[in-house]
Amino acid sequence: MKEFTVGKNDAGQRLDKFITKTLPSLPKALMYKYLRLKRIKLNGKKADIAVRLKEGDIIDMYINDEFFAEKEEKYSFLGAGKNLDIIYEDENIMLLDKKAGLLSHPDEGEYVDTLIGRVQRYLYEKGEYDPKSEASFTPALANRIDRNTGGIVMAAKNAESLRILNEKIKLREIRKLYLCLVIGCPPKKSDTLQGYMIKDEKKNKVTVLPSPAPGAKEMKTQYTVLDTRNGISLVRVELLTGRTHQIRAHMAAVGCPLLGDGKYGTNAQNKKYGGYKKQCLYSYKTVFDFRTDAGILNYLKGQGFEADDIWFRDAFYDGTLIGEQ
């Protein structure tokens, strides 16, 4: 017999899911049988398979030892890189400075060395993440940034923190500010751009329309020009809506595509400044602007965090943009 105590990251899930993840080698037919025969008990009593677990629940399993045998685990995240730029960390969350070129999550071309892989390796080696004892939760990212864009990514260490971060993102109570370099100078020093976007799924490209149209989604982008030098402007941007390629598409729509953006700008424009292959865009600041209760993350209310190492900002100010005339 073995006894399991339900932790906070397992609370809320169904009993059958817990059993399956805890004993992956136990056939489902046997699991159902053992529940009927009370060889698997919840708090000393016969349990319904669909019952939702609570933190502190005790699950006793009177089953053959062979199903408890531990297999040698080979975790893919141990193949991820060790380099992590940590801006902030506490017992619940991490704020990470993801560099351009690193994937947030695996894709068909790269499965192992991703930002989430590095986070899981870091927490595993630190002793804060044990895949064997976590039946339901794995450290996860609350937001993502495209491979060719850098910036702050939030990671949750527990299920409750992830739930809260996702809720606050949905309620727009977490502000994300960006810096970018654009070719030319926007028409106004500061403005809120409004438009409507339609996405071509095949080309993975957005078209910005000036007025509503069938299937189009509204987009609002607030920007401020911080400085202009040699035909390039440093711009701070805040998204008031969250649409695909919003900053890239909206700035291009006003005649100022991002430097290095070959999708919404042109290679001819970029060649003047060395032919950048990645857009000069960085999610440099995150502000926890909570207006409603944030539970265990209430202590973050009003706090803001910035990334310091923004490669194109320094090049802009010291005049070392490649090919700058």
Side-chain angles (χ1 to χ4, degrees), residues 181 183 257-263 270 275-280:
L181 293 182
I183 298 173
L258 270 60
L259 179 63
D261 190 348
K263 184 182 289 283
N270 291 322
Y276 280 92
K277 300 299 183 182
K278 56 185 179 182
Q279 61 265 16
C280 296

Side-chain angles (χ1 to χ4, degrees), residues 144 146 196-209 214-217 219 243-246 249 263-264:
R144 62 177 295 277
D146 291 342
Y196 299 84
M197 60 81 77
I198 292 180
K199 183 180 179 182
D200 185 324
E201 296 292 345
K202 290 184 179 180
K203 296 181 179 179
N204 190 30
K205 188 174 182 180
V206 165
T207 299
V208 181
L209 306 174
K217 297 179 180 179
M219 54 195 294
R243 306 299 184 200
T244 302
H245 300 169
Q246 181 169 327
K263 184 182 289 283
Y264 293 96

Side-chain angles (χ1 to χ4, degrees), residues 271-290:
K271 280 182 179 179
K272 181 180 178 182
Y273 293 90
Y276 280 92
K277 300 299 183 182
K278 56 185 179 182
Q279 61 265 16
C280 296
L281 176 64
Y282 219 92
S283 179
Y284 84 107
K285 186 173 184 177
T286 295
V287 179
F288 294 96
D289 188 24
F290 298 154

Side-chain angles (χ1 to χ4, degrees), residues 158-175:
N158 53 64
E160 180 63 9
S161 295
L162 182 62
R163 183 193 68 77
I164 293 169
L165 290 175
N166 286 336
E167 178 184 66
K168 295 307 180 185
I169 291 171
K170 184 177 180 180
L171 294 173
R172 308 202 68 80
E173 294 184 11
I174 298 178
R175 296 171 58 204

Side-chain angles (χ1 to χ4, degrees), residues 229-300:
R229 299 185 179 195
N230 301 302
I232 298 292
S233 296
L234 178 65
V235 180
R236 182 179 65 233
V237 178
E238 181 170 3
L239 299 180
L240 303 183
T241 56
R243 306 299 184 200
T244 302
H245 300 169
Q246 181 169 327
I247 295 174
R248 298 166 63 189
H250 232 163
M251 298 311 296
V254 297
C256 296
L258 270 60
L259 179 63
D261 190 348
K263 184 182 289 283
Y264 293 96
T266 66
N267 290 330
Q269 289 174 307
N270 291 322
K271 280 182 179 179
K272 181 180 178 182
Y273 293 90
Y276 280 92
K277 300 299 183 182
K278 56 185 179 182
Q279 61 265 16
C280 296
L281 176 64
Y282 219 92
S283 179
Y284 84 107
K285 186 173 184 177
T286 295
V287 179
F288 294 96
D289 188 24
F290 298 154
R291 297 181 296 280
T292 57
D293 181 61
I296 63 171
L297 299 184
N298 267 325
Y299 60 90
L300 292 170

Side-chain angles (χ1 to χ4, degrees), residues 52-260:
R52 296 283 175 176
L53 300 175
K54 300 188 292 296
E55 184 176 358
D57 279 347
I58 303 296
I59 300 170
D60 294 318
M61 298 189 186
Y62 300 85
I63 64 178
N64 296 346
D65 289 341
E66 65 188 87
F67 297 117
F68 296 113
E70 293 187 1
K71 297 180 180 179
E72 183 180 354
E73 297 287 355
K74 293 183 179 179
Y75 302 117
S76 61
F77 59 73
L78 291 177
K82 288 189 174 184
N83 184 39
L84 269 183
D85 293 302
I86 301 172
I87 296 174
Y88 173 81
E89 180 180 6
D90 62 29
E91 69 275 13
N92 294 313
I93 71 165
M94 299 175 69
L95 298 183
L96 308 152
D97 184 0
K98 186 197 83 69
K99 303 303 181 184
L102 179 66
L103 282 168
S104 295
H105 293 103
D107 69 2
E108 64 278 2
E110 176 57 66
Y111 180 79
V112 177
D113 193 18
T114 62
L115 181 62
I116 186 56
R118 294 185 183 188
V119 167
Q120 291 170 1
R121 177 175 184 171
Y122 167 80
L123 294 175
Y124 176 80
E125 293 179 344
K126 193 180 178 185
E128 292 189 26
Y129 169 47
D130 182 2
K132 292 182 181 179
S133 66
E134 293 289 345
S136 65
F137 185 79
T138 300
L141 306 182
N143 65 305
R144 62 177 295 277
I145 294 178
D146 291 342
R147 182 174 201 154
N148 291 328
T149 302
I152 299 176
V153 176
M154 298 175 288
K157 293 184 178 182
N158 53 64
E160 180 63 9
S161 295
L162 182 62
R163 183 193 68 77
I164 293 169
L165 290 175
N166 286 336
E167 178 184 66
K168 295 307 180 185
I169 291 171
K170 184 177 180 180
L171 294 173
R172 308 202 68 80
E173 294 184 11
I174 298 178
R175 296 171 58 204
K176 290 176 285 184
L177 288 85
Y178 297 75
L179 286 179
C180 60
L181 293 182
V182 302
I183 298 173
C185 185
K188 296 180 180 180
K189 175 76 173 178
S190 183
D191 197 9
T192 297
L193 303 176
Q194 294 181 287
Y196 299 84
M197 60 81 77
I198 292 180
K199 183 180 179 182
D200 185 324
E201 296 292 345
K202 290 184 179 180
K203 296 181 179 179
N204 190 30
K205 188 174 182 180
V206 165
T207 299
V208 181
L209 306 174
S211 56
K217 297 179 180 179
E218 184 181 22
M219 54 195 294
K220 294 183 180 181
T221 308
Q222 196 282 327
Y223 77 83
T224 298
V225 179
L226 302 178
D227 202 352
T228 300
R229 299 185 179 195
N230 301 302
I232 298 292
S233 296
L234 178 65
V235 180
R236 182 179 65 233
V237 178
E238 181 170 3
L239 299 180
L240 303 183
T241 56
R243 306 299 184 200
T244 302
H245 300 169
Q246 181 169 327
I247 295 174
R248 298 166 63 189
H250 232 163
M251 298 311 296
V254 297
C256 296
L258 270 60
L259 179 63

